[in-house]
Amino acid sequence: GAGVSQSPSNKVTEKGKDVELRCDPISGHTALYWYRQSLGQGLEFLIYFQGNSAPDKSGLPSDRFSAERTGGSVSTLTIQRTQQEDSAVYLCASSTPAERGRYEQYFGPGTRLTVT
Amino acid sequence: AQSVSQHNHHVILSEAASLELGCNYSYGGTVNLFWYVQYPGQHLQLLLKYFSGDPLVKGIKGFEAEFIKSKFSFNLRKPSVQWSDTAEYFCAVNGYNNNDMRFGAGTRLTVKP
């Protein structure tokens, strides 16, 4: 079946512009996660959606970052007034609900964002 | 807050050498532990996981990991690496009542043929 898809695969933008990154999770996966992967920094948690519950936004680095998930499926991560330090690979993952956190995340290919 | 430490940033081995990648975590409660792998040009994928029971877990491609609760560690091992094991390896942890995952910084493994 289809995996997690993300678009665009690459995005180059000028400093100060807004960007939108899209994630399409695996059908039926109610949990969706955004991470940022910077060179040599590993994966940094950004935001987590679970069904209709309020999202966990505790990882968003500033108020320039926001995300929404429409209809419990597709998610969009928006970065306003981009800065050069926002350059990174943005990864999306999805999973099915599981008790006691016993779930596997399925990752998309990522969007490589370059801010010039 | 929970955190994960991977001590080796880059490991270089020759084929057939043994591998051990360190992972330590900080978390106050019961945890689930994972190793994910990212092969060059591919998505992150699950290598193995520990939820409960036997602390020695086996995953795909001959990898195994041992959970040592007293040391808050979950080290990844493989007796004999192959060139195709060249990849980046990420340790991750989440809690029982916490549905978000925290990842380590990753260890890049290069296996020389």
Side-chain angles (χ1 to χ4, degrees), chain B residues 10 35 38 58 66-67 69 112:
Chain B
H10 189 192
W35 277 96
Q38 188 170 28
K58 296 189 184 299
E66 184 176 13
F67 170 50
K69 188 175 181 179
K112 295 181 175 180

Side-chain angles (χ1 to χ4, degrees), chain A residues 27-85:
Chain A
S27 178
H29 282 192
T30 57
L32 187 148
Y33 316 77
W34 282 99
Y35 294 92
R36 178 166 67 177
Q37 186 177 21
S38 304
L39 192 63
Q41 298 297 314
L43 274 71
E44 175 189 5
F45 167 74
L46 297 177
I47 188 169
Y48 159 68
F49 295 91
Q50 173 57 58
N52 295 320
S53 302
D56 176 357
K57 303 179 182 180
S58 60
L60 294 178
S62 77
D63 59 8
R64 296 186 295 105
F65 287 73
S66 63
E68 61 177 24
R69 190 178 184 191
T70 53
S73 182
V74 172
S75 176
T76 302
L77 177 70
T78 301
I79 309 173
Q80 295 179 310
R81 305 181 303 281
T82 52
Q83 303 295 312
Q84 287 187 330
E85 61 262 29

Side-chain angles (χ1 to χ4, degrees), chain B residues 7-21:
Chain B
H7 314 295
N8 311 102
H9 292 298
H10 189 192
V11 173
I12 303 172
L13 295 172
S14 298
E15 275 195 313
S18 64
L19 170 72
E20 181 160 4
L21 301 182

Side-chain angles (χ1 to χ4, degrees), chain A residues 42 48 100-103 105 107, chain B residues 32 34 36 43 94 96 99:
Chain A
Y48 159 68
R100 296 185 285 181
R102 296 180 174 187
Y103 58 92
Q105 290 182 314
F107 284 84
Chain B
N32 302 305
F34 307 80
Y36 281 80
H43 303 188
N94 75 341
Y96 263 30
N99 277 330

